[in-house]
Amino acid sequence: SNIAIILIGIGLVFFGYNGYTSQNQALENPINSSATVTETGIDRQSGGRGAPEYQPEIMFEYSYEGQDYTSSNMYPGGQKPEDYNVESNAREVVDRYSQGSEITVNVPPENPGEAFIKAKKTNNPLIGMGAGLLFILFGSYKFIKSRYM
């Protein structure tokens, strides 16, 4: 129904905005910390049109203010790493982080359990908000058309 389309749009806008603000908060004043890579791998997922997608996974342990943490965040705000259509491209990312190696991670002081490797925003939240707005516009148009035309 038209109301369902609008509600889906509102949900997408909400989740996109939430991701956007999480990224901004994490990038405000992160503290560099040393971390140890504990596990690496590639997650194979079913992508669009049945083609597989590969996502690099890097787990690391670190300490912040005397507390030990574990994270797998590549980007701030819990954003997932990029999906790759070819496994070898994901493997190139994973190969940069060998198990047991020391890396520098960024720890957001307001949420120290959410450390991340790359201090870079992703476009995913903006894409989610844009898609949500399209759903809202389309649903609103269909609702108005069915009611008043």
Side-chain angles (χ1 to χ4, degrees):
S1 101
N2 301 330
I3 300 297
I5 293 171
I6 294 169
L7 290 175
I8 289 170
I10 291 170
L12 287 171
V13 169
F14 173 77
F15 285 117
Y17 178 77
N18 204 17
Y20 182 78
T21 56
S22 293
Q23 282 187 5
N24 285 339
Q25 280 180 336
L27 287 171
E28 269 181 23
N29 56 355
I31 307 297
N32 286 343
S33 180
S34 180
T36 303
V37 175
T38 57
E39 192 178 323
T40 63
I42 296 175
D43 183 26
R44 183 177 193 266
Q45 300 174 349
S46 188
R49 300 185 197 131
E53 291 182 344
Y54 303 93
Q55 194 174 77
E57 292 185 333
I58 316 297
M59 293 281 295
F60 54 91
E61 292 178 346
Y62 60 99
S63 294
Y64 179 74
E65 294 186 346
Q67 188 80 15
D68 292 336
Y69 297 96
T70 301
S71 179
S72 62
N73 293 331
M74 183 70 77
Y75 296 106
Q79 296 298 307
K80 298 284 183 200
E82 187 176 338
D83 288 329
Y84 294 93
N85 296 331
V86 181
E87 186 175 5
S88 60
N89 292 350
R91 176 71 50 207
E92 284 178 27
V93 174
V94 169
D95 287 347
R96 291 184 216 142
Y97 305 96
S98 59
Q99 196 165 341
S101 65
E102 293 291 314
I103 60 172
T104 300
V105 297
N106 302 279
V107 181
E110 67 283 345
N111 199 358
E114 294 293 320
F116 52 93
I117 296 172
K118 295 185 179 187
K120 174 181 153 186
K121 288 184 186 179
T122 64
N123 291 329
N124 296 347
L126 297 177
I127 292 169
M129 287 191 291
L133 289 174
L134 289 176
F135 270 82
I136 292 169
L137 290 173
F138 181 69
S140 298
Y141 169 76
K142 287 187 62 118
F143 179 76
I144 290 170
K145 185 178 175 185
S146 70
R147 281 265 199 224
Y148 302 108
M149 295 182 183

Coordinates of all heavy atoms in Angstrom, one line a residue, residues 86-130:
V86 N 34.8 -9.3 -7.1 CA 35.8 -10.3 -7.3 C 36.5 -10.6 -6.0 O 37.0 -9.7 -5.3 CB 36.8 -9.8 -8.4 CG1 37.9 -10.8 -8.7 CG2 36.1 -9.3 -9.7
E87 N 36.7 -11.9 -5.7 CA 37.3 -12.2 -4.4 C 38.7 -11.7 -4.3 O 39.2 -11.3 -3.2 CB 37.3 -13.8 -4.3 CG 37.8 -14.2 -2.9 CD 37.6 -15.7 -2.7 OE1 37.2 -16.4 -3.6 OE2 37.9 -16.1 -1.6
S88 N 39.5 -11.7 -5.4 CA 40.9 -11.2 -5.4 C 41.0 -9.8 -4.9 O 41.9 -9.4 -4.2 CB 41.6 -11.5 -6.7 OG 40.9 -10.7 -7.7
N89 N 40.0 -9.0 -5.2 CA 40.0 -7.6 -4.8 C 39.8 -7.5 -3.3 O 40.5 -6.7 -2.6 CB 38.9 -6.7 -5.5 CG 39.2 -6.6 -6.9 OD1 40.3 -6.9 -7.4 ND2 38.2 -6.1 -7.7
A90 N 38.9 -8.3 -2.7 CA 38.8 -8.3 -1.3 C 40.0 -8.9 -0.6 O 40.4 -8.5 0.5 CB 37.5 -9.2 -0.9
R91 N 40.6 -9.9 -1.2 CA 41.9 -10.5 -0.7 C 43.0 -9.5 -0.6 O 43.8 -9.5 0.3 CB 42.2 -11.7 -1.6 CG 43.5 -12.4 -1.3 CD 43.6 -13.2 0.0 NE 42.5 -14.1 0.1 CZ 42.0 -14.5 1.2 NH1 42.5 -14.1 2.4 NH2 41.0 -15.4 1.2
E92 N 43.1 -8.5 -1.6 CA 44.1 -7.5 -1.5 C 44.0 -6.7 -0.3 O 45.0 -6.3 0.4 CB 44.0 -6.6 -2.8 CG 44.5 -7.2 -4.0 CD 44.3 -6.2 -5.2 OE1 44.3 -5.0 -5.0 OE2 44.2 -6.7 -6.3
V93 N 42.7 -6.4 0.1 CA 42.5 -5.6 1.3 C 42.9 -6.4 2.6 O 43.6 -5.9 3.4 CB 41.0 -5.2 1.5 CG1 40.7 -4.5 2.8 CG2 40.6 -4.3 0.3
V94 N 42.5 -7.7 2.6 CA 42.8 -8.5 3.8 C 44.3 -8.7 3.9 O 44.9 -8.8 5.0 CB 42.1 -9.9 3.6 CG1 42.6 -10.9 4.6 CG2 40.6 -9.7 3.8
D95 N 45.0 -8.9 2.8 CA 46.5 -9.1 2.8 C 47.3 -8.0 3.4 O 48.4 -8.2 3.8 CB 47.0 -9.4 1.4 CG 46.5 -10.8 0.9 OD1 46.1 -11.6 1.8 OD2 46.7 -11.1 -0.3
R96 N 46.7 -6.8 3.5 CA 47.3 -5.6 4.1 C 47.4 -5.8 5.6 O 48.1 -5.0 6.3 CB 46.6 -4.3 3.7 CG 46.8 -4.0 2.3 CD 46.1 -2.6 2.0 NE 45.5 -2.7 0.7 CZ 44.4 -2.1 0.4 NH1 43.7 -1.5 1.2 NH2 43.9 -2.2 -0.9
Y97 N 46.6 -6.7 6.2 CA 46.5 -6.8 7.6 C 46.7 -8.3 8.0 O 45.8 -9.1 8.1 CB 45.1 -6.4 8.1 CG 44.7 -5.0 7.7 CD1 44.0 -4.8 6.5 CD2 45.1 -3.9 8.4 CE1 43.7 -3.5 6.1 CE2 44.8 -2.6 8.0 CZ 44.1 -2.4 6.8 OH 43.8 -1.2 6.4
S98 N 48.0 -8.6 8.2 CA 48.3 -10.0 8.6 C 48.0 -10.3 10.1 O 48.1 -9.4 10.9 CB 49.7 -10.4 8.3 OG 50.6 -9.5 9.0
Q99 N 47.5 -11.5 10.4 CA 47.2 -11.9 11.7 C 48.4 -11.7 12.6 O 49.5 -12.1 12.3 CB 46.7 -13.3 11.7 CG 46.0 -13.7 13.0 CD 45.2 -15.0 12.8 OE1 45.0 -15.4 11.7 NE2 44.9 -15.6 13.9
G100 N 48.2 -11.0 13.8 CA 49.3 -10.8 14.7 C 50.0 -9.5 14.5 O 50.8 -9.1 15.3
S101 N 49.8 -8.8 13.4 CA 50.5 -7.6 13.1 C 49.9 -6.4 13.9 O 48.7 -6.4 14.4 CB 50.4 -7.2 11.6 OG 49.1 -7.0 11.2
E102 N 50.7 -5.4 14.2 CA 50.3 -4.2 14.9 C 49.8 -3.2 13.9 O 50.5 -2.9 12.9 CB 51.5 -3.6 15.7 CG 51.9 -4.5 16.8 CD 50.9 -4.6 18.0 OE1 50.4 -3.5 18.4 OE2 50.7 -5.7 18.4
I103 N 48.7 -2.6 14.1 CA 48.1 -1.5 13.3 C 47.7 -0.3 14.2 O 47.6 -0.5 15.4 CB 46.9 -2.0 12.5 CG1 45.8 -2.5 13.3 CG2 47.3 -3.1 11.5 CD1 44.5 -2.8 12.6
T104 N 47.5 0.8 13.6 CA 47.0 2.0 14.3 C 45.5 2.1 14.0 O 45.1 2.1 12.8 CB 47.8 3.2 13.9 OG1 49.1 3.1 14.2 CG2 47.2 4.5 14.6
V105 N 44.7 2.2 15.0 CA 43.3 2.4 14.8 C 42.8 3.7 15.5 O 43.6 4.3 16.2 CB 42.5 1.2 15.4 CG1 42.8 -0.1 14.7 CG2 42.7 1.1 16.9
N106 N 41.6 4.1 15.1 CA 41.1 5.4 15.7 C 40.0 5.0 16.7 O 39.1 4.3 16.3 CB 40.5 6.2 14.5 CG 41.5 6.5 13.4 OD1 42.2 7.4 13.6 ND2 41.5 5.7 12.4
V107 N 40.1 5.5 17.9 CA 39.1 5.2 18.9 C 38.3 6.5 19.2 O 38.9 7.5 19.7 CB 39.9 4.8 20.2 CG1 38.9 4.4 21.3 CG2 40.8 3.6 19.9
P108 N 37.0 6.5 19.0 CA 36.2 7.6 19.4 C 36.0 7.6 20.9 O 35.5 6.7 21.5 CB 34.9 7.4 18.7 CG 34.9 6.0 18.2 CD 36.3 5.4 18.3
P109 N 36.5 8.7 21.6 CA 36.4 8.7 23.1 C 35.0 8.5 23.7 O 34.9 7.9 24.7 CB 37.0 10.1 23.5 CG 37.8 10.5 22.3 CD 37.1 9.9 21.1
E110 N 34.0 9.0 23.0 CA 32.6 8.9 23.5 C 32.1 7.5 23.3 O 31.1 7.2 23.9 CB 31.7 9.9 22.8 CG 31.5 9.8 21.3 CD 32.6 10.2 20.4 OE1 33.5 10.9 20.9 OE2 32.7 9.8 19.3
N111 N 32.7 6.7 22.5 CA 32.3 5.3 22.2 C 33.5 4.4 22.0 O 33.7 4.0 20.8 CB 31.3 5.3 21.0 CG 30.5 4.0 21.0 OD1 30.6 3.2 21.9 ND2 29.6 3.9 20.1
P112 N 34.3 4.2 23.0 CA 35.6 3.5 22.8 C 35.5 2.1 22.3 O 36.5 1.5 21.7 CB 36.2 3.5 24.2 CG 35.1 3.8 25.1 CD 34.1 4.5 24.4
G113 N 34.3 1.4 22.4 CA 34.2 0.1 21.8 C 34.0 0.0 20.3 O 33.9 -1.1 19.7
E114 N 34.0 1.2 19.7 CA 33.7 1.3 18.2 C 34.9 1.8 17.5 O 34.8 2.6 16.5 CB 32.5 2.2 18.0 CG 31.2 1.6 18.5 CD 30.7 0.4 17.8 OE1 30.9 0.3 16.5 OE2 30.3 -0.6 18.4
A115 N 36.1 1.3 17.8 CA 37.3 1.8 17.1 C 37.2 1.3 15.6 O 36.5 0.4 15.3 CB 38.6 1.2 17.7
F116 N 37.9 2.1 14.8 CA 37.9 1.8 13.3 C 39.3 2.0 12.7 O 40.1 2.7 13.3 CB 36.8 2.7 12.6 CG 37.0 4.1 12.9 CD1 37.7 5.0 12.1 CD2 36.4 4.7 14.0 CE1 37.8 6.3 12.3 CE2 36.5 6.0 14.3 CZ 37.2 6.9 13.5
I117 N 39.5 1.4 11.6 CA 40.8 1.4 10.9 C 41.0 2.6 10.1 O 42.0 3.3 10.2 CB 41.0 0.1 10.1 CG1 41.0 -1.1 11.0 CG2 42.3 0.2 9.3 CD1 41.0 -2.4 10.3
K118 N 40.0 2.9 9.2 CA 40.2 4.0 8.2 C 39.3 5.2 8.7 O 38.1 5.1 8.8 CB 39.8 3.6 6.8 CG 40.7 2.5 6.3 CD 40.4 2.2 4.9 CE 41.4 1.2 4.4 NZ 41.2 0.9 2.9
A119 N 39.9 6.4 8.9 CA 39.2 7.6 9.2 C 38.6 8.2 8.0 O 39.1 9.3 7.5 CB 40.1 8.6 10.0
K120 N 37.6 7.6 7.4 CA 37.1 8.1 6.2 C 35.6 7.8 6.2 O 35.1 6.7 6.6 CB 37.7 7.3 5.0 CG 37.2 7.5 3.7 CD 38.0 6.6 2.7 CE 37.1 6.3 1.5 NZ 37.7 5.3 0.6
K121 N 34.8 8.8 5.7 CA 33.3 8.6 5.6 C 33.0 7.7 4.4 O 33.7 7.7 3.4 CB 32.6 9.9 5.5 CG 32.6 10.8 6.7 CD 31.8 12.0 6.4 CE 31.9 13.0 7.6 NZ 31.2 14.2 7.3
T122 N 31.9 7.0 4.5 CA 31.4 6.3 3.4 C 30.1 7.0 2.9 O 29.5 7.8 3.7 CB 31.0 4.8 3.7 OG1 30.0 4.8 4.7 CG2 32.2 4.1 4.3
N123 N 29.7 6.7 1.7 CA 28.5 7.3 1.2 C 27.2 6.6 1.5 O 26.1 7.0 1.2 CB 28.6 7.4 -0.4 CG 29.6 8.4 -0.8 OD1 29.9 9.4 -0.1 ND2 30.2 8.1 -1.9
N124 N 27.4 5.4 2.2 CA 26.2 4.6 2.4 C 25.1 5.3 3.1 O 23.9 5.1 2.7 CB 26.6 3.3 3.2 CG 27.5 2.4 2.5 OD1 27.7 2.6 1.3 ND2 28.2 1.5 3.2
P125 N 25.3 6.1 4.2 CA 24.2 6.8 4.8 C 23.5 7.8 3.9 O 22.3 7.9 3.9 CB 24.9 7.6 6.0 CG 26.1 6.8 6.3 CD 26.6 6.3 4.9
L126 N 24.2 8.5 3.1 CA 23.6 9.4 2.1 C 22.8 8.7 1.1 O 21.7 9.2 0.7 CB 24.7 10.3 1.5 CG 25.5 11.2 2.4 CD1 26.6 11.9 1.7 CD2 24.6 12.1 3.2
I127 N 23.3 7.6 0.6 CA 22.5 6.8 -0.3 C 21.2 6.3 0.3 O 20.1 6.3 -0.3 CB 23.4 5.6 -0.8 CG1 24.5 6.1 -1.7 CG2 22.5 4.6 -1.6 CD1 25.6 5.1 -2.0
G128 N 21.3 5.8 1.6 CA 20.1 5.4 2.3 C 19.1 6.5 2.4 O 17.9 6.3 2.2
M129 N 19.6 7.7 2.8 CA 18.6 8.9 2.9 C 18.0 9.2 1.6 O 16.8 9.5 1.5 CB 19.4 10.1 3.5 CG 19.7 9.9 5.0 SD 20.2 11.4 5.9 CE 21.8 11.7 5.1
G130 N 18.8 9.2 0.5 CA 18.3 9.5 -0.8 C 17.2 8.5 -1.2 O 16.2 8.9 -1.8

